[in-house]
Amino acid sequence: MHLGLIGYGNIAATLLKILDAEGALPSRISVLARPGRAEAARAAFAFPVEVFEEAADFIAATPAYVVEAATHAAVKGPVLDTLRAGIPVLVVSIGALADAETEAAIREAATAGKTQAHLSNGAVGGIDMLAAARLSGIDSVAYTSRKPPQAWGGTPAEKLLDLPALTQATTFYEGTARQAATDYPKNANVAATIALAGAGWQATTVRMVADPSVSANIHEFTVRSGALDFTVTLEGKPSPDNPKTSVSTVYALARAVLNQTSPLTI
């Protein structure tokens, strides 16, 4: 398999380590880095990779499958170009689609390229049943993100709370999935995933909680639908390099990549 990576951070580097441990390291790996960052990108990986600084050159290398593990800006830029070129892309930064124009552009680019944008479930589970429940009619979807105070550092929560001084769980955001993904782009990919799979951006309610009593990134959502009612709760272990992200995110990516070549997928 010729795998393409947009981005060269912790998620991309860990993904390759997991694939290697599974005996499924791609035979060829192409990486798209920002201009001037080629050497940094090569140094980020424990395996040989070919690095490109221009999207056109990256696409010309014709990877069979591309994983976006970068930023919202990548979704609005090279991801669109890659899809238009007919190459399927697994999108990690799903919160970028909270912008209606970006979501429309992704759909247009995939259609034009006769391919698909695959949206990773990331740190959350139960998305298969949520998407199935949507077909039966959804009455409500409510999602709560509960994380340790330090995981909310570098977000608007810092202006609302004295995060280091918190002694009890404090809710600092309640609103729609669209607004959550817009205001908290580094923390709300799960909210975006749940919204896109289920009731939509405006009908999916989101609550964000800073809780000094927990050490995990806890994701919980409750669904009421015509087919079934259920609640999913996951306690994701924070990534050592980025407490905003659950380490389970990269394992979800690895599963999706392995499914591209496995004779039996689930």
Side-chain angles (χ1 to χ4, degrees), residues 3-18:
L3 180 67
L5 297 171
I6 298 176
Y8 55 92
N10 179 61
I11 288 178
T14 304
L15 171 62
L16 294 190
K17 292 178 182 177
I18 295 171

Side-chain angles (χ1 to χ4, degrees), residues 143-164 166 168-174 180-181 183-191 206-219 238 242-246:
Y143 164 61
T144 297
S145 176
R146 183 183 303 272
K147 299 182 181 183
Q150 66 269 23
W152 298 108
T155 77
E158 286 186 323
K159 297 180 180 179
L160 301 173
L161 303 173
D162 184 356
L163 293 172
L166 284 182
Q168 60 184 6
T170 304
T171 298
F172 60 88
Y173 176 87
E174 292 185 90
D183 293 344
Y184 295 83
K186 296 180 180 180
N187 297 80
N189 280 333
V190 169
V206 175
R207 188 167 68 103
M208 296 183 181
V209 181
D211 188 346
S213 71
V214 302
S215 58
N217 294 338
I218 301 173
H219 305 286
N242 181 6
K244 297 180 179 65
T245 301
S246 298

Side-chain angles (χ1 to χ4, degrees), residues 72 75-76 80 95-108:
H72 286 201
V75 176
K76 299 176 182 181
L80 295 176
L97 276 67
D99 175 65
E101 291 185 3
T102 300
E103 181 180 353
I106 288 288
R107 294 180 185 276
E108 178 276 327

